[in-house]
Amino acid sequence: MLFAVKMDVALPRDLDADVRADTLAREKAYSQDLQRGGEWVSIWRMVGQYSNLSIFHVADNERLHEILWNLPLFEFMTIEVTPLAQHPSDIAAG
Amino acid sequence: MLFAVKMDVALPRDLDADVRADTLAREKAYSQDLQRGGEWVSIWRMVGQYSNLSIFHVADNERLHEILWNLPLFEFMTIEVTPLAQHPSDIAAG
Amino acid sequence: MLFAVKMDVALPRDLDADVRADTLAREKAYSQDLQRGGEWVSIWRMVGQYSNLSIFHVADNERLHEILWNLPLFEFMTIEVTPLAQHPSDIAAG
Amino acid sequence: MLFAVKMDVALPRDLDADVRADTLAREKAYSQDLQRGGEWVSIWRMVGQYSNLSIFHVADNERLHEILWNLPLFEFMTIEVTPLAQHPSDIAAG
Amino acid sequence: MLFAVKMDVALPRDLDADVRADTLAREKAYSQDLQRGGEWVSIWRMVGQYSNLSIFHVADNERLHEILWNLPLFEFMTIEVTPLAQHPSDIAAG
Amino acid sequence: MLFAVKMDVALPRDLDADVRADTLAREKAYSQDLQRGGEWVSIWRMVGQYSNLSIFHVADNERLHEILWNLPLFEFMTIEVTPLAQHPSDIAAG
Amino acid sequence: MLFAVKMDVALPRDLDADVRADTLAREKAYSQDLQRGGEWVSIWRMVGQYSNLSIFHVADNERLHEILWNLPLFEFMTIEVTPLAQHPSDIAAG
Amino acid sequence: MLFAVKMDVALPRDLDADVRADTLAREKAYSQDLQRGGEWVSIWRMVGQYSNLSIFHVADNERLHEILWNLPLFEFMTIEVTPLAQHPSDIAAG
Amino acid sequence: MLFAVKMDVALPRDLDADVRADTLAREKAYSQDLQRGGEWVSIWRMVGQYSNLSIFHVADNERLHEILWNLPLFEFMTIEVTPLAQHPSDIAAG
Amino acid sequence: MLFAVKMDVALPRDLDADVRADTLAREKAYSQDLQRGGEWVSIWRMVGQYSNLSIFHVADNERLHEILWNLPLFEFMTIEVTPLAQHPSDIAAG
C-alpha cells in the first residue's frame, strides 16, 4: 500500500549542537534502514525547502504511523499524508 | 531533473459524451507514451480524488511545460509543480 | 484499516428531477449495502451542511478508492480522506 | 448528542520532563474514564500526526465544553468541534 | 442549548422572478415562526453582506439540523455552525 | 449600534501566576461592568475553545475600540469585529 | 463614523450589453451623489483589479448597510467592511 | 518604477472560436508593443500553468493600471501586483 | 502616487519597558512628521486591532519603501501594500 | 533554466548583533558573487517587506537547491520557488 508523505523540518535555533548533530545522524540512519528494507521507497528534497517528499510502501496505516511517529526528527516536523492507489493509466497496471 | 506534479481534474458536466470519451482515451495514450519514453516516471491516483500525483524526469523546465501544456485534459486541470533534487539521505546518493 | 472520510455534496440546480431522485436513491442503497457489509462503519450528517462524516473499515487504499470512486454522487462531491490508526489511549487497545 | 472533535497536540519543548510524563498519564486516565462512562465514544490517532479524531456522546453543549476544557492537555491543544446528527442513509435510522 | 449560525446567501442570477419572490417570502415567514416559537433567538444582518448572524436555542443537534435543512433558502446558502456554552463571566451565570 | 466580536485568548505559558490570576479577575470585572451598563449585551463561550462570541451595543466605532483596547486581556487576544444591522426578517423590526 | 470598504466587481459575461451599460451608469451616478453628499469620502481604483477601496463617513451601521445594499452593482460584488476609529498618531487628533 | 505582475488566465469554454483566436492575437500584439516600448520588461510562462510572471517598468501607478485594464484578456484574468524597489544587494545599485 | 498600507503591530512581551516607550514615541513623531510633510495622507485605527490603515502619497515605490523600512516599529510589523489609482467615478476626476 | 524565487526574511530578535552583522555581510557578498557569475539574474526588494523577488538562471534543479540551501540567511528565510519557461509572447522568442 502506497502513501505520499511530505515532511517539513523546522529545527529550533537553540537546539544543542551535539543533540542536533546526533538527531540528524539518527534520522539519516533510520531513513536509510527503511529504504533498504523497501518500506521507504523514495525520498526527494524539495528545491529551496528544508522539506522532503517521500513515497512509502507499507502493510497498513498502523505501520505507516509507527514509522512516522518514530522519526528522530518527528517533534520538529510538520507532516502531510496522502494515501495513493494504482492509477488506471499506469503502464504497470497491465 | 525531477519534478512532482499534482493534477486535479474537473470535467464539465455538459461535456459531450463522445468528446469526453475521446479526450480521456487520448489522455491515457499520451501519458502511457511518456511513461514508456521514461519522462513520466510514476503516476498514482490520490485516494477518493479525481487527481493524480506524478513524478516527471525531464531535460529542463521547457520540456516539462511542453508536456503539461499538451495534456489532452489540460484545460480541465488544476496543476501544481514542485521541483525536486536529490535528498542527502537517499541511499541512491552513493 | 480505518479511514475518516468527509463528503460535501453540491448538486447542480439544473440536474433533471428524475436523475436527481434516482441518483439519491442509488447513493442511499449503495451506502447501506456497504454499511451492512461492514466496510462503511459509520455515517453522520454534519449539522447545517449537505455533508457527511464517515468511518470506513477497508482492506487497503485500493478498496477505499474503489468504494469512493463508485459513489453515485461522486461527481458532485468534494471528498477529504484521513487515514486513522489505533490511539494508545483507546480502551480497546488492551 | 454526537460531536466529532479533532485535537492537535503541540507540547512545548521546554516542558519539564516530569510534568510532561504526569500530564500525559493524567490525559490518558481522563480519556479512558470518559470512554468507560460512554461519553467519549471513539478515539483514533490521525496517521503521522500528534492528533486524534474523537466522537463524543454527551447530554449537551455545556457538558462537551466541560469535558474539553478540563483535558489535562487542553492548554497545548488546538481543538475543532463539529456537531453531528443522524444521517438519513444510516441503517441504524430504522 | 445555544448555537451561533452564520448564513451567506447567493441567489443564482437566472432564478425565476416568481420563484425568487416566493422563496424569499417563505424564508421570512419560516424565520419569523421560529423566532416567535423561541428557537430562533436573534437574527442580524452583517453590514454590506447578503448574510446573517443568528443565535438559535434548540433542544439538540438533531433539531438544529432539521431547522437549517428546511430553510427555504438552504440550497443557496453557505452555513457555519458554532456550538455555544455559558461563559463564566456572563452576569446571568449567577 | 450592534457589533459581533469574537475574541480568542492565548495566555503565554510563562505568565506569572499572580499576574495571570489578577488579569483574569480584572477581565471578568471589566466585562461584567460593561454587561451591567448595557454595552456588552451578550457573551458566550465557544465550545472547546478559549474564545468567546460577544454582542456589543455601543454609540459608535470609537466607543467599541475604546472598550476592546482596554480589555485587561487585550494583548493576549486575537479579535474579529463584525458590524451588524437590523435584519428585515427580525420580528422586532416591526 | 468611518469605515473602509473594499469592493471587488465580477460582471457575468452573459450580462446584456444594455443592462450592463445602464447598471454601470447608475453605479457611477449613485456613487457620485454620495460623494457630493459627503458620505462616500474617497474612492480609489486598486491597480490591476476590477476593485475599489473606499472610505465612508456615515451616521451608523444601519446607514452604511443601506448604502451598500442599494449599490446598483451590489449583486456582482464581493464586499469587505472594516470599521475605523481615530488613530492616536493622527495629527488631526489634536 | 518596477512592478512584478502575475496573470492567471481562465478562458471560458464557450468562448466563440473566432473571438478566442482574435483575442489571443490582440493580446500578443499588445504585449509585444509594450515590450518593444520598454514598459513590459519581461514575460515568463509559469511551468504547467496558464499564467505568466511579468516585470513592468512604468512611470507610475496610473500608467500600470491603464496597461493592465486594457489587456485584451483582462476580463479572463486574475491579476496580482507587487511594487518593487531596488535591493541593497543588487550589484547594479552601485 | 497613492498607496493604501495596512500595518499590524505585534510588540514582543519581553520588550524592555523603556525601549518600548521610546520606540512608540519615535513612531508617533516619525508618523506625524510625514503627515505634516504631506506624504502620510491618512492614518486610521482598525477597530479592536493593534493595526492601522494608512494612505500614502509618495513620489515613487522607492520612496514608499524608504518610509516603511525606517518605521521605528518596522521589525514588529506585518505590512500589506496596495497601489492605488484614480477611480473613474471619483468626482475629483473632473 | 529560469526560476522565480521569493525570499521572506525573519531575523530573530535575540540574534547576537555581531552574528547578525556578519551574516548580513556574508549574504550580500554571496548574492553579489552569484550575480556577477550570471546565475542570480535579478534581485528586487518587495516594497514594505523584508523580502526579495529574484530570478535565477541555473543549470538544473540541483544547482538551484545548492545555491538556496547555502544562503547565509537560509535558516531565517521562507522560500517559494516557481519554475519558469519561455513565454510565446516574449519578443525574444524569435
Side-chain angles (χ1 to χ4, degrees):
Chain A
M1 228 168 61
L2 293 171
F3 292 87
V5 179
K6 178 172 177 295
M7 308 178 204
D8 299 315
V9 183
L11 295 180
R13 269 176 68 230
D14 62 354
L15 194 62
D16 174 83
D18 287 347
V19 172
R20 179 184 172 122
D22 175 64
T23 309
L24 292 175
R26 286 188 297 117
E27 177 80 16
K28 185 170 185 172
Y30 180 87
S31 168
Q32 296 197 329
D33 280 354
L34 289 161
Q35 289 178 56
R36 286 192 200 94
E39 289 183 309
W40 196 323
V41 180
S42 307
I43 179 168
W44 299 286
R45 177 64 80 207
M46 295 170 71
V47 170
Q49 316 295 329
Y50 195 169
S51 306
N52 73 71
L53 174 68
S54 291
I55 305 295
F56 285 88
H57 184 188
V58 291
D60 55 21
N61 286 352
E62 299 294 337
R63 178 58 183 149
L64 180 62
H65 183 66
E66 183 183 39
I67 288 174
L68 298 176
W69 187 263
N70 291 299
L71 286 162
L73 286 174
F74 181 78
E75 69 172 310
F76 308 123
M77 282 178 163
T78 303
I79 292 180
E80 209 181 296
V81 173
T82 307
L84 303 175
Q86 192 171 56
H87 194 283
S89 297
D90 186 347
I91 53 174
Chain B
M1 228 169 59
L2 293 171
F3 291 87
V5 180
K6 178 171 178 296
M7 308 177 203
D8 299 315
V9 182
L11 295 180
R13 272 177 65 230
D14 62 355
L15 194 62
D16 174 82
D18 287 347
V19 171
R20 180 185 171 118
D22 175 63
T23 310
L24 291 175
R26 285 188 297 116
E27 177 79 15
K28 185 170 184 170
Y30 181 86
S31 169
Q32 296 196 331
D33 280 355
L34 290 162
Q35 288 178 58
R36 285 190 202 96
E39 288 183 309
W40 196 323
V41 180
S42 307
I43 180 168
W44 300 285
R45 176 65 79 208
M46 295 170 71
V47 171
Q49 316 293 329
Y50 195 168
S51 306
N52 73 70
L53 174 69
S54 291
I55 305 294
F56 286 87
H57 184 188
V58 292
D60 54 21
N61 286 353
E62 299 294 338
R63 177 59 182 149
L64 181 61
H65 184 66
E66 184 184 39
I67 288 174
L68 297 176
W69 188 263
N70 291 299
L71 287 162
L73 287 173
F74 181 78
E75 69 172 309
F76 308 124
M77 282 177 164
T78 303
I79 291 180
E80 207 181 297
V81 173
T82 307
L84 303 175
Q86 191 170 56
H87 195 283
S89 296
D90 186 347
I91 53 174
Chain C
M1 229 168 59
L2 293 171
F3 292 87
V5 179
K6 177 173 177 297
M7 309 178 203
D8 300 315
V9 182
L11 295 181
R13 272 177 65 230
D14 63 354
L15 194 61
D16 173 82
D18 287 348
V19 171
R20 179 184 172 120
D22 175 64
T23 309
L24 291 176
R26 286 188 296 115
E27 177 79 16
K28 185 170 185 171
Y30 180 87
S31 169
Q32 295 196 332
D33 280 354
L34 289 162
Q35 289 177 57
R36 286 191 201 94
E39 287 183 309
W40 196 323
V41 180
S42 307
I43 179 168
W44 300 286
R45 177 64 79 207
M46 295 169 71
V47 171
Q49 316 294 329
Y50 196 168
S51 305
N52 73 69
L53 174 69
S54 291
I55 305 293
F56 285 88
H57 183 188
V58 291
D60 54 21
N61 286 353
E62 300 294 337
R63 178 59 183 148
L64 180 62
H65 184 66
E66 185 184 38
I67 288 174
L68 298 176
W69 187 263
N70 291 299
L71 287 162
L73 286 173
F74 181 77
E75 69 172 309
F76 308 123
M77 282 177 163
T78 302
I79 292 179
E80 208 181 296
V81 173
T82 306
L84 303 175
Q86 191 171 56
H87 194 283
S89 296
D90 186 346
I91 53 174
Chain D
M1 228 170 60
L2 293 171
F3 291 87
V5 179
K6 178 173 176 295
M7 308 178 204
D8 300 314
V9 182
L11 296 180
R13 269 177 67 229
D14 62 354
L15 194 61
D16 173 82
D18 287 347
V19 171
R20 179 185 173 120
D22 175 64
T23 309
L24 292 175
R26 287 188 296 117
E27 177 80 16
K28 186 170 184 171
Y30 181 87
S31 169
Q32 296 197 330
D33 280 354
L34 289 161
Q35 290 178 57
R36 286 191 200 93
E39 288 183 308
W40 196 322
V41 181
S42 306
I43 179 169
W44 300 286
R45 176 65 79 207
M46 295 170 71
V47 170
Q49 316 295 329
Y50 195 169
S51 306
N52 73 71
L53 174 68
S54 291
I55 306 294
F56 285 87
H57 184 187
V58 291
D60 54 21
N61 286 353
E62 299 295 337
R63 177 59 182 148
L64 181 61
H65 184 66
E66 184 183 39
I67 288 173
L68 298 176
W69 187 263
N70 291 300
L71 287 162
L73 286 173
F74 182 78
E75 69 172 309
F76 308 124
M77 282 178 163
T78 303
I79 291 181
E80 209 181 295
V81 173
T82 307
L84 303 175
Q86 191 171 57
H87 195 284
S89 296
D90 186 347
I91 53 174
Chain E
M1 229 168 59
L2 294 171
F3 291 88
V5 179
K6 178 173 177 295
M7 309 179 203
D8 300 315
V9 183
L11 295 180
R13 272 177 63 229
D14 62 355
L15 195 61
D16 174 83
D18 287 347
V19 171
R20 180 185 172 119
D22 174 65
T23 309
L24 291 176
R26 286 189 295 117
E27 178 79 16
K28 185 170 185 173
Y30 181 87
S31 169
Q32 296 196 331
D33 280 355
L34 289 161
Q35 288 177 58
R36 285 190 202 96
E39 288 183 308
W40 196 323
V41 179
S42 307
I43 179 169
W44 300 286
R45 176 66 77 209
M46 295 169 72
V47 171
Q49 316 293 330
Y50 196 168
S51 306
N52 73 70
L53 175 68
S54 292
I55 305 293
F56 286 88
H57 184 187
V58 292
D60 55 21
N61 286 352
E62 299 294 337
R63 178 58 183 150
L64 180 61
H65 184 66
E66 185 184 37
I67 288 173
L68 299 177
W69 187 263
N70 291 300
L71 286 162
L73 286 173
F74 182 77
E75 70 172 309
F76 308 124
M77 281 178 164
T78 302
I79 291 180
E80 208 180 296
V81 173
T82 307
L84 302 175
Q86 192 171 56
H87 194 283
S89 296
D90 186 347
I91 53 173
Chain F
M1 230 170 58
L2 294 171
F3 292 87
V5 179
K6 178 173 177 294
M7 308 178 204
D8 301 313
V9 182
L11 295 180
R13 271 176 65 231
D14 62 354
L15 194 62
D16 174 82
D18 288 347
V19 172
R20 179 184 173 121
D22 175 64
T23 309
L24 292 175
R26 287 188 295 117
E27 177 79 16
K28 185 170 185 172
Y30 181 87
S31 169
Q32 296 196 331
D33 280 354
L34 289 162
Q35 289 178 58
R36 287 191 200 95
E39 288 183 308
W40 195 322
V41 181
S42 306
I43 178 167
W44 299 287
R45 176 64 80 207
M46 296 170 71
V47 171
Q49 315 295 328
Y50 195 168
S51 306
N52 72 71
L53 175 67
S54 292
I55 305 294
F56 286 87
H57 184 188
V58 291
D60 55 22
N61 286 353
E62 299 294 336
R63 178 59 184 149
L64 181 61
H65 184 66
E66 184 184 37
I67 288 173
L68 298 176
W69 187 263
N70 291 299
L71 287 162
L73 286 173
F74 181 77
E75 70 172 308
F76 308 124
M77 282 178 163
T78 303
I79 291 180
E80 210 181 296
V81 173
T82 307
L84 302 175
Q86 191 170 57
H87 195 283
S89 297
D90 187 346
I91 52 174
Chain G
M1 228 169 59
L2 294 171
F3 291 87
V5 180
K6 179 173 177 294
M7 309 177 202
D8 300 315
V9 183
L11 296 179
R13 271 177 64 230
D14 61 356
L15 194 61
D16 174 82
D18 287 347
V19 172
R20 179 186 173 120
D22 174 64
T23 310
L24 292 175
R26 286 188 296 117
E27 177 79 16
K28 186 171 184 171
Y30 180 87
S31 169
Q32 295 196 331
D33 280 354
L34 289 162
Q35 289 178 57
R36 286 191 201 96
E39 288 183 309
W40 196 323
V41 181
S42 307
I43 179 167
W44 300 286
R45 176 66 79 208
M46 296 169 71
V47 171
Q49 316 294 329
Y50 196 169
S51 307
N52 72 71
L53 175 68
S54 292
I55 305 293
F56 286 88
H57 183 189
V58 292
D60 55 21
N61 286 353
E62 299 294 337
R63 177 60 183 148
L64 180 62
H65 184 65
E66 185 184 37
I67 288 173
L68 297 176
W69 186 265
N70 291 300
L71 287 162
L73 287 173
F74 181 78
E75 70 172 308
F76 308 124
M77 282 177 164
T78 303
I79 292 181
E80 209 181 296
V81 173
T82 307
L84 302 176
Q86 190 170 58
H87 195 283
S89 296
D90 186 346
I91 53 174
Chain H
M1 228 170 59
L2 294 171
F3 291 88
V5 180
K6 178 172 177 295
M7 309 177 203
D8 299 315
V9 183
L11 295 180
R13 271 178 64 230
D14 62 356
L15 194 62
D16 174 82
D18 287 347
V19 172
R20 178 184 172 120
D22 175 63
T23 309
L24 291 176
R26 285 188 297 116
E27 177 80 16
K28 186 171 184 171
Y30 180 87
S31 169
Q32 295 196 331
D33 279 355
L34 289 162
Q35 289 177 58
R36 286 191 201 96
E39 288 183 309
W40 196 323
V41 180
S42 307
I43 180 168
W44 300 286
R45 176 65 79 208
M46 295 170 70
V47 171
Q49 317 293 330
Y50 195 168
S51 307
N52 72 71
L53 175 68
S54 291
I55 305 294
F56 285 88
H57 183 188
V58 291
D60 54 21
N61 286 352
E62 299 294 337
R63 177 58 183 150
L64 181 62
H65 184 65
E66 184 184 38
I67 288 174
L68 298 176
W69 187 264
N70 291 300
L71 286 162
L73 287 173
F74 182 78
E75 70 171 308
F76 307 125
M77 282 177 163
T78 303
I79 292 181
E80 208 181 296
V81 173
T82 307
L84 302 175
Q86 190 171 58
H87 194 283
S89 296
D90 187 345
I91 52 173
Chain I
M1 228 168 60
L2 294 170
F3 291 87
V5 179
K6 178 173 177 296
M7 308 179 204
D8 301 315
V9 182
L11 295 181
R13 271 177 65 230
D14 62 355
L15 194 62
D16 174 82
D18 288 346
V19 171
R20 179 184 172 121
D22 175 65
T23 309
L24 292 175
R26 287 188 295 118
E27 178 79 16
K28 185 171 184 172
Y30 181 87
S31 169
Q32 295 196 330
D33 280 354
L34 289 161
Q35 289 178 58
R36 286 192 200 93
E39 288 183 308
W40 196 323
V41 180
S42 307
I43 179 168
W44 300 286
R45 177 64 78 207
M46 296 169 71
V47 171
Q49 316 294 329
Y50 196 169
S51 306
N52 73 72
L53 174 67
S54 292
I55 306 294
F56 285 88
H57 184 189
V58 291
D60 54 22
N61 287 352
E62 299 294 337
R63 178 58 184 150
L64 181 62
H65 184 66
E66 185 183 37
I67 287 174
L68 298 176
W69 187 264
N70 291 300
L71 286 163
L73 286 173
F74 181 77
E75 69 172 309
F76 307 124
M77 282 177 162
T78 302
I79 292 180
E80 210 181 294
V81 173
T82 307
L84 302 175
Q86 191 170 57
H87 194 283
S89 297
D90 187 345
I91 52 173
Chain J
M1 229 168 60
L2 294 170
F3 292 87
V5 179
K6 178 172 176 297
M7 309 178 203
D8 299 315
V9 182
L11 295 180
R13 271 177 66 231
D14 63 354
L15 194 62
D16 174 83
D18 287 347
V19 171
R20 179 184 172 122
D22 174 64
T23 309
L24 291 175
R26 286 189 296 118
E27 178 79 16
K28 186 171 185 172
Y30 181 86
S31 169
Q32 296 197 330
D33 280 355
L34 288 161
Q35 289 178 57
R36 287 192 200 94
E39 288 183 310
W40 196 323
V41 180
S42 306
I43 178 167
W44 299 286
R45 176 64 79 206
M46 295 170 71
V47 171
Q49 315 295 329
Y50 196 169
S51 305
N52 72 72
L53 174 68
S54 291
I55 306 294
F56 285 88
H57 184 189
V58 292
D60 54 22
N61 285 353
E62 298 295 336
R63 178 59 183 149
L64 180 62
H65 183 67
E66 184 184 38
I67 288 173
L68 298 176
W69 187 263
N70 291 299
L71 287 162
L73 286 173
F74 182 78
E75 70 171 310
F76 308 124
M77 283 177 163
T78 303
I79 291 180
E80 210 181 295
V81 173
T82 306
L84 303 175
Q86 191 170 58
H87 194 283
S89 296
D90 186 347
I91 53 175

